[in-house]
Amino acid sequence: MHTPTLKDVYAARPRVYGVLKPTPLMRHPLLAADTGLDIYVKHENHNPTGAFKIRGGLNLVGSVSAEERRGLISASTGNHGQSIALACQRAGVPCTIVVPSGNNPDKNAAMRAFGAEVIEFGRDFDEAREHVEERARERGLRYVHSANEPLLLAGVGTYALEIFEELPDADVILVPIGGGSGACGCSIVRTGIGSRAAIIGVQAERADAFARSWRTRTRVVGTSADTFAEGMATRVTFDLTFDILQRELADIVTLSEEEIADGVRLALRTTHNLAEGAGAASIAAAKKLGSRLAGKKVVCVMSGGNIDAATLKKVLA
């Protein structure tokens, strides 16, 4: 398992752009006024699956061997699963996704619409992932880990290339961290092009295993991942992404559930975009950091917009 490089990200572009277009990098005056910052939003919520992870799925599925095309299996809370499902559907490859019991119903429906077999198992993402690892061996399927996959990271990195090509003097990029693929993609590109931009990760306080591991340099396992922001709801760290981010990340910010919810409301009010919890986390973190970011060009990655109606109703209430 090699660490992807800038060359790998450039190599992913033909597979990614065969399906999608670069997403907007926008400056919203209301968001700038609310935060008091020179702030831009990278709208990965505008992708065909409503999230950034489609880039990684297209790159990986577009690279699988003839033997692996007999079927792929993965675990997801939804956005990674949609990515693999859509890419498999386009390539004519059977796809199975295991999600936690009680997972976002809209994300489950989207994965099924993209042709995936969706199985509910376990109390959270990590229990679903452990179940997948057993089923993959039993069924002889190609297991796609949501983080320990160089091809996923290289594909995701294409959005970071877009950021730096449009805003080469960006000073800070804020990106949510679940498994860490999005932050890794930014880090690989930032370092590869020689930018001095700081990559700052964002996590939920109630799913902060990565944050605690990064700060102490000792990897820990959380007892729960009790956050409505399912894109950040992980209890463990992963080998490839943790190794990269341990070296590359400048800092990490943790948010309360109310701060994440305020981010969703802030996105609606100031950008007129519907962001899921993880997708709104970066702008919530920018507001929390406040004066620390003054005078800097700040990019917030809106990683996804796939919030379900019940959760949105609670947030808006």
Side-chain angles (χ1 to χ4, degrees):
M1 186 167 58
H2 77 281
T3 299
T5 66
L6 182 62
K7 181 179 178 180
D8 296 314
V9 179
Y10 278 115
R13 275 186 146 177
R15 288 183 283 272
V16 172
Y17 293 149
V19 177
L20 57 86
K21 297 178 180 179
T23 56
L25 179 67
M26 299 182 68
R27 190 179 190 279
H28 299 279
L30 289 175
L31 181 61
D34 192 290
T35 59
L37 300 172
D38 185 8
I39 190 168
Y40 300 77
V41 178
K42 181 59 171 169
H43 282 288
E44 288 298 285
N45 57 310
H46 290 190
N47 276 316
T49 60
F52 77 103
K53 291 198 173 184
I54 181 58
R55 298 170 181 268
L58 291 169
N59 192 41
L60 184 143
V61 175
S63 306
V64 295
S65 67
E67 181 180 354
E68 291 172 328
R69 289 176 64 88
R70 65 188 304 269
L72 272 59
I73 187 169
S74 191
S76 177
T77 56
N79 288 341
H80 166 70
Q82 288 181 70
S83 163
I84 300 301
L86 175 56
C88 282
Q89 184 183 57
R90 292 183 61 87
V93 176
C95 175
T96 302
I97 305 294
V98 179
V99 302
S101 298
N103 192 55
N104 181 322
D106 293 346
K107 290 183 177 180
N108 291 352
M111 287 182 277
R112 291 189 175 101
F114 291 135
E117 176 189 4
V118 177
I119 299 169
E120 294 192 44
F121 183 91
R123 67 187 172 100
D124 58 20
F125 166 77
D126 292 298
E127 286 194 355
R129 173 182 54 80
E130 291 163 0
H131 183 64
V132 164
E133 290 166 0
E134 294 175 3
R135 289 182 70 98
R137 287 190 293 270
E138 293 170 1
R139 297 171 61 176
L141 299 176
R142 173 25 165 123
Y143 169 43
V144 180
H145 194 283
S146 63
N148 288 335
E149 296 279 1
L151 289 165
L152 288 184
L153 303 193
V156 165
T158 58
Y159 85 69
L161 277 177
E162 294 168 13
I163 291 173
F164 286 110
E165 287 172 353
E166 190 167 347
L167 196 69
D169 56 346
D171 295 306
V172 177
I173 300 178
L174 289 156
V175 55
I177 292 179
S181 63
C184 282
C186 283
S187 297
I188 291 163
V189 172
R190 182 276 314 274
T191 300
I193 66 173
S195 168
R196 299 181 66 180
I199 311 299
I200 299 178
V202 187
Q203 276 214 302
E205 287 179 356
R206 288 159 66 169
D208 66 345
F210 178 90
R212 288 187 287 130
S213 300
W214 185 83
R215 287 168 180 156
T216 63
R217 296 185 176 272
T218 301
R219 291 169 68 178
V220 302
V221 176
T223 56
S224 68
D226 184 21
T227 174
F228 81 88
E230 65 263 20
M232 301 189 291
T234 54
R235 290 187 286 112
V236 301
T237 58
F238 301 114
D239 295 343
L240 180 58
T241 51
F242 185 78
D243 179 62
I244 294 169
L245 294 177
Q246 185 72 78
R247 300 190 309 268
E248 301 280 357
L249 209 62
D251 199 0
I252 190 160
V253 180
T254 54
L255 302 173
S256 69
E257 294 299 284
E258 182 54 31
E259 286 172 326
I260 298 170
D262 188 57
V264 176
R265 295 188 288 266
L266 182 64
L268 274 172
R269 187 173 70 253
T270 64
T271 78
H272 303 149
N273 276 254
L274 182 62
E276 60 188 274
S282 58
I283 62 172
K287 186 167 184 177
K288 183 172 185 174
L289 290 174
S291 59
R292 279 183 54 186
L293 302 178
K296 301 180 185 297
K297 284 191 176 179
V298 179
V299 176
C300 295
V301 179
M302 191 170 284
S303 58
N306 296 317
I307 191 169
D308 65 275
T311 301
L312 180 61
K313 184 177 180 180
K314 291 177 183 177
V315 167
L316 295 181

